[in-house]
């Protein structure tokens, strides 16, 4: 009898730890734990993710290029850039002639990004910094991107207000919403589409759209109104 109780206790503790450190990646333990976990996995991150370059271009790079068309030398901010996924693709495009600021709080993720982005070093600035507050003036960027990261910030809402603050009026923001079973594991941090739309509108975005993306994400786009 006691053995069964102890075994159940161990199994439940293991499940709880898995949820705390793997499913929700430390978000209930605070920013430093999240970033520490990314520091630990940085060198394996790209192998784990196995991005498809074709899908990346079609679903991420091309829409960003379209949103930037007609803007000379655009300034782009990638919040929580990780290993530089978005800058790497954008900077390879002959249609992009701008500069990218790639911000992340994990030094080791940025180390990987720095190696990948070495051929473009004059067109990208890597900054180790948390997403809140953003160390930039108001209305500074022509596009803001933040992929697969909002759910890990201490407050996705505070981060969104910061992103909208530094975005120029009339310009474009691209982010993601964690959905499906994985999304619901974030419990009170989970946002339905309606709930996320409301949060983005309150932060000041308009023309908000959701597009299913990868297995457990929506791509979410919006614009900051001109007035
Ligand atoms: C799942 S990765 C996404 C990376 C990249 N955007 C991509 O799509 O490959 C999440 C990133 O968020 C970063 N991050 C987590 N919390 C952060 C915070 N509060 N401020 C800045 N970066 C943070 C992590 O270091 C990690 O690089």
């Amino acid at each position: 009898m006691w053995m069964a109780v102890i075994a159940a206790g161990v199994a439940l503790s293991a499940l709880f730890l898995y949820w705390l450190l793997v499913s929700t990646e430390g978000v209930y333990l605070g920013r430093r734990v999240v970033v520490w976990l990314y520091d630990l996995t940085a060198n394996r991150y790209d192998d784990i993710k196995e991005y498809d370059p074709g899908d990346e271009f079609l679903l991420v790079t091309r829409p960003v290029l379209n949103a930037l068309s007609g803007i000379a030398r655009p300034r782009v901010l990638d919040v929580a850039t990780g290993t530089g996924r978005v800058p790497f693709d954008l900077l390879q495009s002959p249609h992009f002639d701008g500069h990218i600021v790639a911000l992340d709080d994990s030094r080791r993720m940025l180390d990987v990004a720095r190696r990948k982005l070495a051929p473009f070093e004059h067109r990208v600035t890597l900054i180790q910094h948390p997403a809140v507050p953003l160390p930039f003036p108001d209305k500074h960027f022509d596009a803001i991107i933040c992929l697969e990261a909002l759910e890990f910030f201490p407050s996705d809402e505070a981060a969104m207000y910061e992103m909208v603050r530094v975005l120029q009026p009339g310009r474009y923001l691209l982010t993601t919403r964690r959905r499906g079973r994985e999304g619901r594991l974030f419990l009170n941090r989970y946002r339905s589409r309606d709930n996320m739309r409301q949060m983005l509108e309150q932060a000041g975005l308009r023309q908000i759209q959701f597009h299913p993306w990868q297995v457990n994400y929506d791509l979410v786009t919006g614009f900051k109104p001109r007035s």
Side-chain angles (χ1 to χ4, degrees):
M1 171 68 182
W2 281 112
M3 289 302 282
V5 172
I6 290 168
V10 170
L12 278 177
S13 306
L15 266 179
F16 177 65
L17 275 179
Y18 188 85
W19 171 80
L20 202 58
L21 296 175
V22 180
S23 307
T24 56
E25 302 192 19
V27 73
Y28 282 96
L29 299 173
R31 176 174 63 86
R32 285 179 199 281
V33 174
V34 172
V35 170
W36 173 68
L37 290 172
Y38 274 101
D39 274 337
L40 287 183
T41 50
N43 285 321
R44 287 180 289 129
Y45 181 83
D46 285 353
D47 291 338
I48 294 168
K49 286 289 186 176
E50 286 186 326
Y51 297 123
D52 180 292
D55 287 353
E56 289 288 298
F57 179 77
L58 211 62
L59 299 170
V60 178
T61 313
R62 196 166 70 175
V64 174
L65 289 171
N66 287 343
L68 290 172
S69 75
I71 303 173
R73 299 189 180 281
R75 282 197 286 238
V76 175
L77 172 64
D78 186 27
V79 177
T81 194
T83 57
R85 163 194 200 170
V86 172
F88 186 69
D89 282 348
L90 264 184
L91 288 164
Q92 290 193 76
S93 167
H95 303 292
F96 182 74
D97 64 354
H99 188 94
I100 304 180
V101 175
L103 175 145
D104 201 285
D105 209 12
S106 158
R107 184 173 61 82
R108 287 179 192 244
M109 291 292 271
L110 286 177
D111 286 345
V112 178
R114 190 169 292 107
R115 288 197 290 275
K116 272 164 62 176
L117 298 171
F120 312 102
E121 62 178 340
H122 299 300
R123 298 177 59 204
V124 61
T125 305
L126 298 172
I127 299 181
Q128 186 185 355
H129 202 280
V132 178
L134 288 171
F136 312 108
D138 295 357
K139 305 175 186 172
H140 190 68
F141 291 98
D142 296 296
I144 309 244
I145 298 155
C146 179
L147 300 185
E148 299 189 26
L150 272 183
E151 65 271 34
F152 303 122
F153 297 159
S155 163
D156 57 356
E157 196 177 6
M160 191 49 64
Y161 271 84
E162 274 298 88
M163 289 188 243
V164 175
R165 177 182 68 76
V166 301
L167 183 62
Q168 283 197 37
R171 302 295 201 235
Y172 169 88
L173 183 142
L174 171 66
T175 188
T176 49
R177 180 185 80 93
R178 193 80 171 252
R179 65 180 163 88
R181 197 183 65 84
E182 279 190 8
R184 289 178 192 279
L185 286 174
F186 283 76
L187 306 183
N188 62 323
R189 299 179 56 91
Y190 170 75
R191 288 196 186 271
S192 65
R193 281 189 176 183
D194 283 350
N195 186 265
M196 183 141 179
R197 181 187 300 281
Q198 202 178 14
M199 188 267 278
L200 297 180
E201 283 179 353
Q202 271 167 9
L205 292 179
R206 296 293 179 267
Q207 300 176 53
I208 294 157
Q209 294 191 351
F210 294 84
H211 311 272
W213 182 58
Q214 302 186 155
V215 184
N216 282 300
Y217 279 100
D218 279 340
L219 279 173
V220 187
T221 58
F223 286 84
K224 181 170 174 175
R226 286 186 192 278
S227 55

